[in-house]
Amino acid sequence: DGVAVLPAPQNLSVQSTNMKHLLTWSPVVVPGEIIDYSVEYQGEYESLYMSHIWIPSSWCSPTENPECDITDDITATVLYNLRVRATLGSQTSAWSTLKHPFNRNSTILTPPGLEVSNDGFHLVIKLEDLGPQFEFLVAYWRREPGAKEHIKMVRNGGVPVLLETAEPGAAYCVKAQTFVKAIGRHSAFSQAECVKLQGEALSL
Amino acid sequence: LKTLHLGSCVITTNLQEMRNGFSEIRDRVLAEDEIIDVRILRKMVSLQDTEPAGQCCLLRHVLRLYLDKVFKNYQTPDHHILRKLSSLANSFLTIKKDLRLCHDRMTCPCWEEAMEKYSRILSHFEELKPREAVVKALGELDILLRWMEEAE
């Protein structure tokens, strides 16, 4: 086993947005050399029942970049320990472990992208495709005083969805938020996007 | 996510993700099971054949069996299998936590029927040698996932 002479990677942190989780760290620099990194993880089960077990990450054992997409490894809503070490030939650094375990329920949920279109009779929307874990709550209303707000749950993004058979010439507004059942959280609402049937989309 | 109705205990869980994960390693795990004429999770002790009120208790005990005696005792050099089993184990841990909440709210009672069925499952498990029991129990995750699916 190589003697640990390389410095261990520092400043480990996880940036998580919309259930995509990226582990990053400060690169280990040895002039003129390419450093490899290995990332390993441990779910709450492993840390509770078999704490000596660490699992090589799906995509970064090894990797040359000082970052690792751990989305495919974080598959349950439990705490995950993460660690990284550097390797140069037969030299390996000590492991550096993420200071605070990561739970995917802390991911940042952004309002979804939204396209509103119409063909003069139908109000149609297309939501940003954020992956299978995302559902959408869509609110829409006729842009007139006292109009009632309608709610519709949309299971998938990326495909056009008919909201309503609309009245020609009327103006409608639409806004949406994401909902992730796996973590029981939803995003803020997007900006309302308004369209006048047979007219151009108006941004508020 | 699916909603499981176990008597008056209702939980949600990512059954499809678990099913997808297990299907990737199922054949390799089954190939290790050489005891083909024995089953641990038999029909007569199934969740579906248990009084609804006792289903939560039975599932809670079976999950504890897998967490305490199966996942942690299965060794493999295969990183892919390791990852999929970790995913299943951590999902089972999440379910067990949810069932624990039901227990705290008195909606997961353990009566004679459920305990009697669990003790039969345990004896089927303990009749086998440790390694054989672990491999067979992993191969029977199919059955356990189906029990949960049928509790939707």
Side-chain angles (χ1 to χ4, degrees), chain A residues 2-8 91-94:
Chain A
V3 175
V5 292
L6 275 178
Q91 299 173 56
T92 55
S93 76

Side-chain angles (χ1 to χ4, degrees), chain A residues 2 23 35 57 69 72 97 104 109-110 118 123 145 166 179 182 184 200:
Chain A
L23 173 68
I35 303 292
S57 78
D69 183 343
D72 290 344
T97 302
R104 66 179 183 179
L109 294 178
T110 61
N118 78 87
L123 189 61
F179 180 62
E200 284 304 312

Side-chain angles (χ1 to χ4, degrees), chain B residues 24-150:
Chain B
E24 288 188 37
I25 59 171
R26 183 175 171 280
D27 293 342
R28 272 176 287 174
V29 169
L30 281 178
E32 293 182 47
D33 184 2
E34 293 152 359
I35 317 287
I36 50 175
D37 53 356
V38 169
R39 234 172 89 170
I40 295 170
L41 301 178
R42 303 177 190 182
K43 171 107 180 55
M44 84 253 299
V45 290
S46 74
L47 216 51
Q48 279 55 52
D49 281 17
T50 305
E51 270 298 310
Q55 289 177 341
C56 172
C57 171
L58 179 57
L59 180 59
R60 204 167 150 235
H61 279 77
V62 172
L63 292 181
R64 185 182 297 160
L65 174 66
Y66 272 81
L67 292 169
D68 289 353
K69 294 182 188 265
V70 178
F71 289 118
K72 63 184 281 189
N73 293 317
Y74 179 76
Q75 266 103 40
T76 176
D78 185 314
H79 288 165
H80 184 62
I81 291 181
L82 209 54
R83 284 189 204 107
K84 294 304 167 188
L85 289 181
S86 169
S87 182
L88 283 160
N90 282 286
S91 294
F92 274 25
L93 190 63
T94 305
I95 297 171
K96 183 164 168 280
K97 285 182 187 178
D98 290 342
L99 297 181
R100 170 75 211 197
L101 292 178
C102 284
H103 174 74
D104 297 344
R105 293 188 205 113
M106 312 292 189
T107 55
C108 192
C110 278
W111 291 330
E112 190 187 354
E113 185 203 21
M115 291 315 295
E116 198 270 323
K117 284 186 173 177
Y118 174 65
S119 64
R120 269 201 257 160
I121 291 171
L122 193 56
S123 65
H124 301 154
F125 182 84
E126 289 172 342
E127 279 158 19
L128 298 166
K129 295 191 187 98
R131 165 79 187 169
E132 291 167 352
V134 163
V135 166
K136 181 165 287 298
L138 282 180
E140 292 187 0
L141 275 169
D142 242 347
I143 298 171
L144 186 51
L145 290 173
R146 197 180 325 124
W147 284 7
M148 288 196 262
E149 281 157 359
E150 286 167 9

Side-chain angles (χ1 to χ4, degrees), chain A residues 109-183:
Chain A
L109 294 178
T110 61
L114 172 66
E115 288 170 29
V116 184
S117 58
N118 78 87
D119 59 4
F121 299 98
H122 303 104
L123 189 61
V124 177
I125 61 164
K126 189 170 163 186
L127 291 148
E128 182 180 2
D129 185 1
L130 291 165
Q133 296 184 322
F134 283 76
E135 295 177 357
F136 303 85
L137 186 141
V138 177
Y140 61 98
W141 60 96
R142 265 179 77 142
R143 198 161 80 158
E144 59 188 25
K148 180 172 181 282
E149 185 177 87
H150 304 277
I151 301 287
K152 185 183 183 92
M153 281 304 292
V154 174
R155 287 234 179 270
N156 304 302
V159 291
V161 173
L162 170 63
L163 274 191
E164 179 158 317
T165 302
E167 188 182 324
Y172 287 82
C173 294
V174 184
K175 64 182 181 180
Q177 67 178 166
T178 63
F179 180 62
V180 181
K181 254 186 187 172
I183 59 175

